[in-house]
Structure formats: structure tokens, C-alpha cells
Amino acid sequence: TVIAVFMGGLALGSWIFGKIADSSDRLLRLYIFIELGIALSGLTISLFLLPVLDNVYIFFHGLGWGAGTTLFLVRFTLSVLIMLVPTILMGGTLPVIGRYLVRSQSELGARIGTLYGMNTMGAVIGAFACGFWLIAIFGETGTILIAVSCNLSAGLLAFWASRADKRKAAGAAKKEKAFRASVYPESRLDLVPL
């Protein structure tokens, strides 16, 4: 049930944010909000929601729903409540950043392939590190805080990149204005009859 909800959330997020990215001209801003949303939802779920849902699960189990379809439905519902928001957001990261990085059709295969490979490698390294080291060294809460800090760092890097994009665009506009002024000085414009 957990894997089904996780993969379903990723697919749903990829579809939703893929549609949004296709019509957005502020992709880095969208990416920043996604990363902040992942961090916030992960922190909220881990520190506040999981302890409550543990008690809910124990309550239903105590009612004698220890097996069967009813317990499966309870488990599935709790999994959806816990994981749907962060997995939808996680599923949105790749289409949004991919749309930002691909500027032309000729770049599509190489850039998306590289991005997808890096994303997969990051997931493998993260799962391996959590499973073998981080939880053992820092505990579950410490590992969650590390993951939250990674999402915040990704959002911060995207923020810096968006600032660099704005400066680059402002510089290009300034050069264009200077070029137009040198080609069409105002004194010449005075000679043109309107």
C-alpha cells in the first residue's frame, strides 16, 4: 500500500505539474515553491501527523480489525493521508526543472536524459544512505531534518538561479536599449515626419 501510494503520488504530481510547467513562464519560482512544500510537508507529517496516525491505527487494530479488508482500507487511507501531498510535490520537481532546462527541441533528449539519470542516482544514494547510515547515526527525526535541509537547499539554489536569470535579462535589456539608442539617436527621430 505504501509503495502504491508513493508511486501514484509521484505520477499524479508529474502529470499535474507537467501541465502547469507547460504554461508557466516562472518555472524557477514554481520549483522553489515545490521544494519548500516538500520540506514543510515532510516536517509537518513527521513531527506532528505520524504520532496521531499511529494512535488511529492502534485504535482500529484494537477494535478487532487486525486483518482483512477493513484493516487494509484503514492502512491505505492512512498512507494516502500521510504521503499524498509530499509525493505529488516530489513528482512535480522533474517536469518543472526539466521544462526550465530545455530551451529547444534539440536539447530535449540530452538534457532530460541527464536530468533523469541524476535524479535516479540521487534517489539511489539517498535511499542507500538513509537505510545504512543516516538513520543509524542521526535517528529518524535527525534524518528527516537532513532531508528537509536538502529540500530547502535545493529551493535556495533555485532562488539564486532565478536572481541570476533576472540580472541576465536586465543586462540584455540594457544592452538592447543602448544598441537602439546608438542606431536611432533622438536627433534623427526629430527629422522623421509623424
Side-chain angles (χ1 to χ4, degrees), residues 1-12 72 75-76 78-80 82-84 87-88 90:
T1 56
V2 171
I3 293 174
V5 172
F6 187 85
M7 298 306 278
L10 290 178
L12 186 59
F72 168 78
R75 250 193 336 247
F76 183 77
L78 293 177
S79 295
V80 169
I82 292 169
M83 295 175 27
L84 195 60
T87 56
I88 286 174
M90 287 179 211

Side-chain angles (χ1 to χ4, degrees), residues 8-81:
L10 290 178
L12 186 59
S14 180
W15 180 74
I16 290 169
F17 285 103
K19 296 278 187 193
I20 294 170
D22 285 342
S23 61
S24 177
D25 60 344
R26 296 183 157 198
L27 293 166
L28 281 179
R29 179 179 282 185
L30 178 59
Y31 182 78
I32 292 166
F33 285 125
I34 290 172
E35 287 292 350
L36 294 177
I38 294 168
L40 182 64
S41 64
L43 197 60
T44 303
I45 289 166
S46 301
L47 297 181
F48 304 110
L49 191 58
L50 280 179
V52 172
L53 291 179
D54 281 346
N55 292 331
V56 170
Y57 184 77
I58 291 168
F59 170 77
F60 282 112
H61 194 274
L63 291 176
W65 298 356
T69 306
T70 307
L71 186 64
F72 168 78
L73 291 174
V74 168
R75 250 193 336 247
F76 183 77
T77 303
L78 293 177
S79 295
V80 169
L81 288 173

Side-chain angles (χ1 to χ4, degrees), residues 11 17 20 29 46 71 109 112 116 118 133 149 159 179-180:
F17 285 103
I20 294 170
R29 179 179 282 185
S46 301
L71 186 64
I112 294 297
Y116 195 80
M118 290 171 58
W133 296 305
S149 68
F159 176 74
F179 173 75
R180 287 183 185 268

